[in-house]
Amino acid sequence: MKMFILCWISYANIYFGRMNLSVAQKLMQSDLSLSNTAIGGFSSLFFCVYACGKLVNGYLGDKGNNKWLIFQGLLISGLCNILFGIVHNYYVLLALWGLNGFFQSLMWCNILKIICSWYPPKQISKVMIDLSTSMVAGTFLGLSGCGLLAAFLPWKYQFLIPGGILVFNAAVWAGLAQNGPVCPQADGCVGREIASEEENMGAMNGERTGYAPAIGIIKFLFTSGLILVTLVCLPQGIVKDNVGVWGPTMVTDIYHFNVSQSSMILLAIPVLNFLGILVVGRLKEAGGLSTIRISICTLGISLLLILLLVFGMEASPVIGIGALGLLSAVMYGQNALLLGAIPTQYAAYGRVSFASGFLDCFSYIATAGFSALTGIMLDQKLGWQYIFLTWIGMILLSIAALIRCKKKMYL
């Protein structure tokens, strides 16, 4: 339980050092005289570097010391946020935000690896879905905390304060975290109790922890179905993160609220996201529904909600913000299922961390591309309806990949 709480708090705090940009970007745009394209460049670079970092750090996570990799992620992300609040040169800020993205990419795949070391296989799926609620808490903390700061202080404090919190979190992590339970023969276990010597041997062989990769990366990619599963993950990355990044700007542009008002109004979305994760977890664990069936439901509901945004976003704030919140909730539930629980299925290959990093990598590459596209489309005055239509196209691609996964029995 101690490690679950540490992992949960640390991953929630890492979102505080990411969501702050979505609240501050409108104020930065005015203060630094930046275009929508320039502002979109921050998110695009972050997600592009974050995606590449996921792939690299996912591979290293199967071989390295997960505790200290997570410590590096917390510490350097915190320092990047602090420096971001001090300097004002656009290109230096861009480099700092890209560096922030790389070190934040250390977090999830290494946390997942630690969880696989602490819990037996039958519990891991549920634990990872529960751990995904930390994303919601971090989003809520980022939007509410930075929204309040925006009302009283210059935008730089929206980076200085989260940065300080992350540095403190890194120090706590270094003092308390463990890679896995320690089981001396005479002194009993520290951490969860391991039932038998056979279970210990299974963990050493990668059946639970994945510490000993069973096959090479190339063979793993072409025999596990991971590439096809990745295509299913693309829309949840695009929608989930672009609602977070562009949500305050979207609400400000359409309904003419100020930045602080927009951020506070959107606080309802993290609550809905939390419920979305819990509903998907309930369907998976208690309802006994397969990943395929749950994904078909979430993608179908997403299509209906995006169509509601296309035709009703400008009609009423209640319709627009409500549909946006429900869409985010559905995608967060899908995210918890695909990027939290599915990588643990690859423990037998010894590739839990790599599978997590690979899925996250291409999900965030799609997010990075769409964040840049969003900025360009807004500068070209195309409007939010055209952006919503691109979301529909990506979800249709995901449905096609899902059907193929079902035929191949990959999910």
Side-chain angles (χ1 to χ4, degrees), residues 18-348:
R18 178 193 309 184
M19 296 304 300
N20 48 357
L21 177 66
S22 66
V23 178
Q25 61 189 12
K26 203 70 177 177
L27 299 172
M28 291 172 57
Q29 190 172 6
S30 175
D31 190 30
L32 302 178
S33 301
L34 301 175
S35 66
N36 283 312
T37 302
I39 287 292
F42 286 114
S43 296
S44 291
L45 180 63
F46 178 95
F47 287 122
C48 187
V49 174
Y50 187 82
C52 295
K54 283 281 189 178
L55 198 60
V56 173
N57 293 318
Y59 176 78
L60 294 176
D62 283 320
K63 297 175 177 294
N65 187 312
N66 305 111
K67 170 184 174 177
W68 293 110
L69 288 171
I70 292 170
F71 169 77
Q72 291 174 37
L74 289 166
L75 178 64
I76 300 181
S77 176
L79 294 176
C80 286
N81 270 270
I82 291 170
L83 291 173
F84 198 92
I86 295 174
V87 301
H88 290 81
N89 179 277
Y90 174 72
Y91 294 103
V92 176
L93 291 173
L94 204 60
L96 284 170
W97 207 242
L99 194 64
N100 183 38
F102 180 81
F103 282 95
Q104 287 207 9
S105 73
L106 282 162
M107 298 295 296
W108 184 253
C109 54
N110 284 287
I111 284 176
L112 191 148
K113 183 70 176 297
I114 285 178
I115 292 296
C116 285
S117 299
W118 279 90
Y119 291 88
K122 291 182 180 179
Q123 294 182 20
I124 289 173
S125 178
K126 180 181 183 302
V127 170
M128 291 310 302
I129 290 175
D130 290 343
L131 189 61
S132 296
T133 60
S134 63
M135 302 177 192
V136 179
T139 301
F140 184 89
L141 181 64
L143 289 175
S144 61
C146 292
L148 288 172
L149 290 173
F152 301 105
L153 296 170
W155 63 265
K156 66 180 181 179
Y157 289 97
Q158 296 173 50
F159 298 93
L160 294 173
I161 292 174
I165 290 172
L166 286 171
V167 170
F168 177 76
N169 195 156
V172 174
W173 177 271
L176 298 178
Q178 293 176 288
N179 280 318
V182 180
C183 296
Q185 292 181 353
D187 298 327
C189 291
V190 177
R192 82 171 179 90
E193 185 176 350
I194 294 181
S196 67
E197 182 179 351
E198 288 76 10
E199 188 177 347
N200 273 324
M201 292 303 296
M204 291 174 63
N205 290 328
E207 293 173 11
R208 182 176 71 254
T209 66
Y211 270 90
I215 60 175
I217 291 292
I218 302 300
K219 185 177 179 180
F220 170 69
L221 287 175
F222 285 97
T223 58
S224 64
L226 186 61
I227 294 176
L228 196 56
V229 172
T230 302
L231 293 178
V232 181
C233 298
L234 295 182
Q236 64 83 25
I238 289 175
V239 178
K240 177 179 73 69
D241 288 298
N242 277 279
V243 168
V245 170
W246 288 99
T249 301
M250 189 185 305
V251 172
T252 300
D253 287 348
I254 296 174
Y255 304 120
H256 308 295
F257 299 129
N258 63 40
V259 174
S260 181
Q261 289 172 332
S262 297
S263 299
M264 299 308 291
I265 289 170
L266 291 175
L267 286 180
I269 291 182
V271 177
L272 292 173
N273 292 342
F274 182 82
L275 294 175
I277 293 173
L278 292 183
V279 168
V280 168
R282 180 70 176 173
L283 290 173
K284 179 69 174 174
E285 298 299 325
L289 294 180
S290 67
T291 300
I292 292 285
R293 289 186 178 182
I294 294 174
S295 296
I296 288 173
C297 289
T298 56
L299 293 172
I301 293 170
S302 297
L303 282 176
L304 295 176
L305 289 170
I306 295 172
L307 287 173
L308 184 59
L309 287 173
V310 171
F311 296 106
M313 184 77 177
E314 295 183 357
S316 166
V318 175
I319 294 175
I321 297 172
L324 198 66
L326 290 173
L327 179 62
S328 181
V330 171
M331 288 293 96
Y332 260 83
Q334 177 86 335
N335 178 81
L337 178 66
L338 295 179
L339 301 186
I342 284 181
T344 63
Q345 298 177 187
Y346 299 105

